[in-house]
Amino acid sequence: MKPSIPKGTRDFSPQEMVKRNYIFDTIRKVYQSYGYQPIETPAMENLETLMGKYGDEGDRLIFKILNSGDFMDGIPPNTLDSKSLTKHISEKALRYDLTVPFARYVVQHRNDITFPFKRYQIQPVWRADRPQKGRYREFYQCDADVIGSDSLLNEIELIQIIDEVFTKLEIPVIIKINNRKILQGFAEMIGEPNRMIDIAMAIDKMDKIGWDGIRKELAGMGINDSQAEQLRLLLLSGINLNIESLKNSQYYANHKEFAKGIDEIVFIFNTCSSLFTLHSSLAFDVSLARGLNYYTGTIIEVKVDTSKCASQFTSSICGGGRYDDLTGIFGLPDVSGVGISFGADRIYDVLEELNKFPNDIVASTKVLLINFGEKEAIYCLQVLRDLHVAGISAELYPDAKKINKQFEYADKRNIPYVVLIGQDEINKGVLKLRTMASKEEKEMSSSELIKYLTSI
Amino acid sequence: MKPSIPKGTRDFSPQEMVKRNYIFDTIRKVYQSYGYQPIETPAMENLETLMGKYGDEGDRLIFKILNSGDFMDGIPPNTLDSKSLTKHISEKALRYDLTVPFARYVVQHRNDITFPFKRYQIQPVWRADRPQKGRYREFYQCDADVIGSDSLLNEIELIQIIDEVFTKLEIPVIIKINNRKILQGFAEMIGEPNRMIDIAMAIDKMDKIGWDGIRKELAGMGINDSQAEQLRLLLLSGINLNIESLKNSQYYANHKEFAKGIDEIVFIFNTCSSLFTLHSSLAFDVSLARGLNYYTGTIIEVKVDTSKCASQFTSSICGGGRYDDLTGIFGLPDVSGVGISFGADRIYDVLEELNKFPNDIVASTKVLLINFGEKEAIYCLQVLRDLHVAGISAELYPDAKKINKQFEYADKRNIPYVVLIGQDEINKGVLKLRTMASKEEKEMSSSELIKYLTSI
């Protein structure tokens, strides 16, 4: 049996863990400094909590868990097609994102929560997607949401957070924003006021299927070619005009929702530009749609600014938006929320591509004590204890192998210092410190060693 | 629909998260200081990786994942009992512990690993156990293992780590050790040399089922009453004798495995006692067995020392042992390993019981800026930015609600300071700092504010 792991999943080695933790820690610290508090929810949710929240495609991609015990007991004999059998033999599933479990959490614990509730959550999610480059079946999401406040100051804060995280990570980005109310306006203008979400879902695929593909998708929904052409022109005019000129347009005067969307965007832009110097570019993009159906206001998408660095990365690395009624599905209506989610795996790939992981994060053990045999090793244990008490990470090689083998171990593990204590050194009450890079050796006492290592 | 989560799983609130992270961080820091490196493995493993590794009971308690898509397609029509159907409709499962995935990891990545490999891993595991007080279906394990070294120095190091972690957490503990080779000796002495594991599994239930229960279990395995009585006397003599007298016994002279087990225990005891002052009590307990079948040498179990504190907690809070051939099942024989695992959930309960969580870990936002309206709020954003740049966690209340409502929010969130900037303050270029505990208010400039908050 050749050991392996399921398709689309990954092991993380110590070297990868250090880099991943650098990303998580950066995001976590920024979240915390803005007052967001951590929560965690279980990997498994009740199947009914998740089903129907991500569209038909999402329902199919949810990993379902087989009931324990004799799950076939009492199943009607003709229930043998996968779909109807699933309901009988599975009542739990792995979470598909962090937003729906968060909405469930808020409703379930509403009496213990202080609103507005600012929470962050960094946990894995699972999707039965076809595995491909950069797309995994298990991956981490790093979400922050504010729930219970409809102030646009929250949007501004989240933009600041995005700017701060990517500034710290040294990735130049473009933060694109749009507003679903503007898209709602477009839907009204082409005579399809109830189809905004379908239209948004179609527009979201622009990069993948182009305008011809979108036209076909729209036709499939019963939106005819002349409506589609009208929509295309609206998007085009939006792309070519700046916000202020949209504000002066006939649309603004005639379409309430559209006007509200424009006003919100203008407020966010004006406030940001009057107050801060964002390191990132903030851009209005009327064709930005986002593929999630619960957004109702501001939508945000972040991409690497390839004009400012050598990245080839075109996928979004962070996204989010405002949803006015996500908790409604769980019985708590009229609570507005807004949130963002960083894609840690994609950020990892960009940092690798740009060679932007700091060198000093690959820290491991600082000192390896060489093992010359049982008696010497036992003597070393005391030195080791002193090093630990002084806060220096140190380890004793557990076996009395050839010294070259032990040096090789230090090399491979990137341990910068080695301490040698043989019978001679024990007799003299000293030790030898070897700097691995220079191969230089120096005799000193163990207290001198600690003084030296804590000073560098 | 009333929102809920699956039986035996939990949500963690911000207050709980802070406490849990205190435990995880303490363990992680100690592991790192001894040179252990982090890895992570996927939540899902191939079903065949897990099945058969934890006994029949374990196989039943593994959560299986339903295959995606039309999983019933091509299933032979008469495969309708749960057991035979499972093989056809599930090929993945949630990990049951961290040790088997670690063994799989080591074999799969053997060419990239520097041996001896010291790794730690802090991740959740899932078991379909009947939920009950203190037993969950999703819980974290915090494991450290060394693989590729059979030196007893590893055992000593792990004992030091246990001592250091519980000293930092301020939980007095007894570290009990035994050796499976001693139990092997007992099995030989009663004429059942091949039944050591069965016997150990039975003895392990002593606390739950008593000696009468064990006798029944043994009878069920075909071990007769006189053999069982012999075993009871052996355990009793072991409990009453100290190690040194066991060394002088006839058993030691006549039973090789037994003698080796005793020698290993003696070496560990002598080395620990000659070198360190462990804060914890280290005790030899010949009746310690551990319920896992892969241990072959030293076994370790840690309990709260109820003689030294007011705890009622009798379950083990950490355990481990040496396994000589865990990677053998995956095709890499003759690699010895030894490891420990901290039970974070039980440690949490003990810390709560003893009221030992430090007060200062419940830190959250330091300053709340009161929102007096749009114009004042926008002004506040700049102050907020300055606070963040100075490394002070601060937030602006997003809505212009009544001031009492905003004070209440600060209170509930344990935010110690509030900053008030109304139109008057804007005109004068000052702000008012309110200390929530004393209700004292003081006027100052924003640079004075930063100086004050960074000084305390």
Side-chain angles (χ1 to χ4, degrees):
Chain A
M1 177 186 173
K2 213 178 134 80
S4 65
I5 49 177
K7 267 187 310 186
T9 69
R10 293 163 293 169
D11 285 325
F12 296 109
S13 70
Q15 294 73 32
E16 290 163 326
M17 284 294 292
V18 170
K19 290 179 177 175
R20 286 171 65 80
N21 286 336
Y22 164 70
I23 297 170
F24 294 137
D25 289 345
T26 302
I27 295 169
R28 188 182 293 117
K29 273 184 206 150
V30 176
Y31 281 162
Q32 283 175 346
S33 80
Y34 282 83
Y36 290 75
Q37 300 181 286
I39 69 160
E40 278 185 14
T41 61
M44 299 188 278
E45 293 276 348
N46 291 324
L47 191 54
E48 59 187 1
T49 300
L50 304 185
M51 293 298 274
K53 310 302 187 298
Y54 308 101
D56 289 346
E57 169 84 353
D59 280 356
R60 268 196 304 278
L61 300 185
I62 290 171
F63 278 113
K64 285 118 195 147
I65 293 165
L66 201 53
N67 292 345
S68 307
D70 187 5
F71 55 86
M72 287 299 283
D73 188 40
I75 302 288
N78 293 323
T79 324
L80 290 179
D81 68 292
S82 302
K83 206 166 173 187
S84 45
L85 189 58
T86 301
K87 292 178 203 135
H88 293 283
I89 64 176
S90 168
E91 53 194 29
K92 291 183 286 294
L94 295 179
R95 69 173 160 252
Y96 182 83
D97 74 355
L98 301 178
T99 310
V100 168
F102 174 56
R104 191 267 309 146
Y105 178 100
V106 167
V107 180
Q108 191 173 333
H109 303 282
R110 66 224 235 184
N111 296 326
D112 305 318
I113 291 174
T114 309
F115 292 97
F117 184 41
K118 301 170 84 171
R119 86 87 174 77
Y120 75 86
Q121 191 170 353
I122 299 180
Q123 288 194 282
V125 302
W126 294 270
R127 295 181 185 180
D129 254 323
R130 208 159 49 81
Q132 48 183 290
K133 194 182 167 338
R135 181 169 292 184
Y136 305 103
R137 292 186 149 187
E138 172 181 68
F139 58 97
Y140 269 76
Q141 291 193 332
C142 311
D143 282 24
D145 289 79
V146 192
I147 202 152
S149 161
D150 54 15
S151 164
L152 290 172
L153 292 175
N154 298 301
E155 271 89 336
I156 291 167
E157 179 172 88
L158 291 169
I159 290 168
Q160 279 187 275
I161 286 177
I162 292 169
D163 184 54
E164 203 165 315
V165 166
F166 287 113
T167 302
K168 288 197 171 164
L169 294 175
E170 298 186 29
I171 300 176
V173 296
I174 302 176
I175 305 171
K176 292 184 184 177
I177 61 172
N178 193 10
N179 196 300
R180 278 276 170 99
K181 296 189 179 93
I182 296 177
L183 298 177
Q184 175 62 32
F186 288 168
E188 288 169 14
M189 290 172 212
I190 67 166
E192 297 284 353
N194 301 318
R195 306 300 291 277
M196 183 274 281
I197 288 171
D198 294 334
I199 294 169
M201 299 291 208
I203 298 175
D204 184 55
K205 297 182 188 158
M206 183 85 85
D207 285 351
K208 281 182 206 154
I209 61 176
W211 187 255
D212 279 345
I214 293 176
R215 200 186 302 267
K216 266 178 218 153
E217 291 240 338
L218 292 173
M221 303 170 192
I223 292 174
N224 67 36
D225 264 11
S226 98
Q227 288 174 303
E229 179 58 17
Q230 211 185 337
L231 180 65
R232 191 180 70 85
L233 292 174
L234 283 167
L235 288 175
L236 212 60
S237 72
I239 290 168
N240 292 334
L241 294 170
N242 65 25
I243 312 173
E244 286 300 330
S245 52
L246 275 177
K247 203 167 167 172
N248 296 324
S249 70
Q250 43 151 326
Y251 308 135
Y252 185 86
N254 298 333
H255 290 269
K256 257 194 171 167
E257 275 295 283
F258 179 81
K260 200 156 177 240
I262 295 287
D263 284 347
E264 291 184 10
I265 293 275
V266 168
F267 179 81
I268 292 171
F269 258 90
N270 287 350
T271 308
C272 284
S273 65
S274 74
L275 282 175
F276 321 116
T277 321
L278 292 176
H279 294 83
S280 320
S281 311
L282 184 63
F284 171 54
D285 181 351
V286 77
S287 72
L288 176 66
R290 304 282 302 155
L292 278 168
N293 59 10
Y294 46 70
Y295 291 131
T296 51
T298 309
I299 44 182
I300 302 171
E301 191 167 273
V302 183
K303 293 192 172 187
V304 179
D305 189 343
T306 50
S307 75
K308 291 193 189 152
C309 65
S311 173
Q312 309 288 319
F313 216 85
T314 55
S315 309
S316 84
I317 53 179
C318 176
R322 178 171 288 278
Y323 39 88
D324 272 338
D325 198 23
L326 192 59
T327 58
I329 42 177
F330 298 113
L332 183 67
D334 302 322
V335 180
S336 189
V338 57
I340 53 170
S341 182
F342 287 91
D345 292 292
R346 291 178 176 176
I347 292 172
Y348 187 103
D349 291 343
V350 175
L351 288 171
E352 282 287 16
E353 184 192 30
L354 298 177
N355 201 16
K356 283 287 188 192
F357 279 111
N359 291 320
D360 59 356
I361 58 167
V362 199
S364 83
T365 300
K366 208 163 189 177
V367 192
L368 176 73
L369 279 71
I370 298 294
N371 187 330
F372 284 106
E374 189 175 303
K375 215 174 53 182
E376 292 88 345
I378 289 176
Y379 181 92
C380 279
L381 284 176
Q382 205 123 40
V383 179
L384 196 62
R385 182 80 160 189
D386 295 341
L387 287 165
H388 285 152
V389 169
I392 298 161
S393 68
E395 55 184 293
L396 167 65
Y397 196 88
D399 304 284
K401 293 223 169 130
K402 285 203 184 118
I403 191 160
N404 280 341
K405 198 94 186 149
Q406 298 188 45
F407 281 162
E408 201 183 300
Y409 173 85
D411 256 344
K412 284 194 180 162
R413 285 278 315 277
N414 288 312
I415 300 175
Y417 298 100
V418 156
V419 162
L420 301 107
I421 308 179
Q423 192 53 56
D424 271 8
E425 283 78 16
I426 295 179
N427 293 341
K428 288 162 68 182
V430 294
L431 53 82
K432 231 185 256 163
L433 175 70
R434 181 187 173 97
T435 306
M436 290 301 286
S438 65
K439 294 180 181 165
E440 207 182 322
E441 291 187 2
K442 219 180 139 182
E443 217 172 70
M444 58 181 76
S445 72
S446 83
S447 59
E448 284 167 338
L449 172 71
I450 288 169
K451 209 177 286 173
Y452 176 68
L453 290 175
T454 41
S455 73
I456 47 169
Chain B
M1 176 184 173
K2 210 178 135 78
S4 65
I5 48 176
K7 267 187 308 183
T9 69
R10 293 163 292 170
D11 285 324
F12 296 109
S13 70
Q15 295 73 33
E16 290 163 326
M17 283 296 292
V18 169
K19 291 178 177 177
R20 287 170 66 81
N21 285 337
Y22 165 69
I23 297 171
F24 294 138
D25 289 344
T26 302
I27 295 169
R28 187 180 295 118
K29 272 183 206 150
V30 175
Y31 281 162
Q32 283 175 346
S33 80
Y34 281 84
Y36 290 75
Q37 301 180 286
I39 70 160
E40 279 185 13
T41 61
M44 299 188 278
E45 292 276 348
N46 290 324
L47 191 54
E48 59 186 0
T49 300
L50 305 184
M51 292 298 274
K53 310 304 187 298
Y54 308 101
D56 290 345
E57 170 83 353
D59 280 355
R60 268 196 305 278
L61 300 184
I62 290 171
F63 278 113
K64 286 117 194 146
I65 292 166
L66 202 52
N67 292 345
S68 307
D70 187 5
F71 55 86
M72 287 301 282
D73 187 42
I75 302 288
N78 293 322
T79 325
L80 291 179
D81 68 293
S82 302
K83 205 167 171 185
S84 44
L85 189 58
T86 300
K87 291 176 205 135
H88 293 283
I89 64 176
S90 166
E91 53 194 29
K92 291 183 286 294
L94 295 179
R95 69 172 160 253
Y96 183 84
D97 74 356
L98 301 179
T99 310
V100 169
F102 173 56
R104 191 267 310 146
Y105 177 100
V106 167
V107 179
Q108 191 174 331
H109 303 282
R110 67 226 242 183
N111 296 327
D112 305 318
I113 292 173
T114 309
F115 292 97
F117 184 41
K118 300 171 84 171
R119 87 85 174 76
Y120 75 86
Q121 192 170 355
I122 299 179
Q123 289 192 281
V125 303
W126 295 270
R127 295 181 186 180
D129 255 324
R130 208 159 50 82
Q132 49 184 288
K133 196 187 166 331
R135 181 169 292 183
Y136 305 103
R137 291 185 152 188
E138 172 179 67
F139 57 97
Y140 269 75
Q141 290 194 331
C142 311
D143 282 24
D145 289 78
V146 192
I147 203 152
S149 161
D150 53 15
S151 165
L152 290 170
L153 291 175
N154 297 301
E155 271 90 336
I156 292 167
E157 179 172 88
L158 291 169
I159 290 168
Q160 280 186 275
I161 286 176
I162 292 169
D163 184 55
E164 204 165 313
V165 165
F166 287 113
T167 303
K168 289 199 167 159
L169 294 175
E170 297 188 30
I171 301 176
V173 297
I174 303 176
I175 305 171
K176 291 184 185 178
I177 60 172
N178 193 12
N179 196 301
R180 279 275 170 97
K181 296 190 178 93
I182 296 176
L183 298 177
Q184 176 61 34
F186 287 168
E188 287 169 15
M189 290 172 212
I190 67 166
E192 297 284 356
N194 301 318
R195 306 299 291 277
M196 184 275 280
I197 288 171
D198 294 336
I199 293 169
M201 300 289 209
I203 297 175
D204 184 57
K205 298 182 187 160
M206 182 84 84
D207 285 351
K208 281 183 205 154
I209 62 177
W211 188 255
D212 280 345
I214 293 176
R215 200 187 302 268
K216 267 178 219 154
E217 289 239 340
L218 292 173
M221 303 171 191
I223 293 174
N224 66 36
D225 265 12
S226 98
Q227 287 174 303
E229 180 59 17
Q230 213 185 335
L231 180 64
R232 192 180 69 84
L233 293 174
L234 283 166
L235 289 174
L236 212 60
S237 72
I239 292 167
N240 292 333
L241 294 170
N242 63 27
I243 312 174
E244 286 300 329
S245 52
L246 273 177
K247 201 167 169 171
N248 295 322
S249 71
Q250 43 150 327
Y251 308 133
Y252 185 86
N254 298 333
H255 291 270
K256 258 194 170 167
E257 275 294 282
F258 179 80
K260 198 154 177 241
I262 295 288
D263 285 347
E264 291 184 8
I265 293 277
V266 169
F267 177 81
I268 292 170
F269 259 89
N270 287 350
T271 308
C272 284
S273 64
S274 73
L275 282 175
F276 322 116
T277 323
L278 292 176
H279 294 83
S280 321
S281 310
L282 183 64
F284 171 55
D285 181 351
V286 76
S287 72
L288 176 66
R290 304 282 302 155
L292 278 169
N293 58 11
Y294 47 69
Y295 292 131
T296 51
T298 309
I299 44 183
I300 303 172
E301 191 167 275
V302 183
K303 293 191 172 188
V304 179
D305 190 343
T306 50
S307 75
K308 292 192 189 153
C309 65
S311 172
Q312 308 288 319
F313 216 85
T314 54
S315 307
S316 82
I317 51 179
C318 176
R322 178 170 288 278
Y323 40 87
D324 272 338
D325 198 23
L326 191 60
T327 57
I329 42 177
F330 298 113
L332 182 68
D334 303 322
V335 179
S336 189
V338 57
I340 54 171
S341 182
F342 287 91
D345 292 293
R346 289 177 175 178
I347 292 173
Y348 186 103
D349 291 344
V350 175
L351 288 171
E352 281 287 15
E353 184 192 30
L354 297 177
N355 200 17
K356 283 287 190 193
F357 280 112
N359 291 321
D360 58 356
I361 59 169
V362 199
S364 82
T365 300
K366 209 163 189 177
V367 192
L368 176 72
L369 279 70
I370 298 295
N371 186 331
F372 284 105
E374 190 175 301
K375 212 174 55 183
E376 293 88 347
I378 290 176
Y379 182 92
C380 277
L381 285 176
Q382 203 124 40
V383 179
L384 196 62
R385 182 81 160 189
D386 294 341
L387 287 166
H388 285 151
V389 169
I392 298 160
S393 68
E395 54 184 293
L396 167 65
Y397 196 89
D399 304 284
K401 291 223 169 130
K402 284 203 183 119
I403 192 160
N404 279 341
K405 197 97 186 149
Q406 298 188 46
F407 281 163
E408 202 183 301
Y409 174 84
D411 255 343
K412 284 195 181 162
R413 285 277 316 276
N414 287 312
I415 300 175
Y417 298 100
V418 156
V419 163
L420 302 106
I421 308 179
Q423 192 53 57
D424 270 9
E425 283 78 16
I426 295 180
N427 292 341
K428 287 162 68 181
V430 295
L431 53 83
K432 232 186 256 162
L433 175 70
R434 180 185 172 99
T435 307
M436 290 301 287
S438 66
K439 294 181 182 164
E440 211 182 320
E441 292 187 0
K442 222 181 135 179
E443 219 173 71
M444 57 182 76
S445 71
S446 82
S447 59
E448 284 168 337
L449 173 72
I450 288 170
K451 208 178 283 173
Y452 177 69
L453 291 175
T454 41
S455 73
I456 47 168

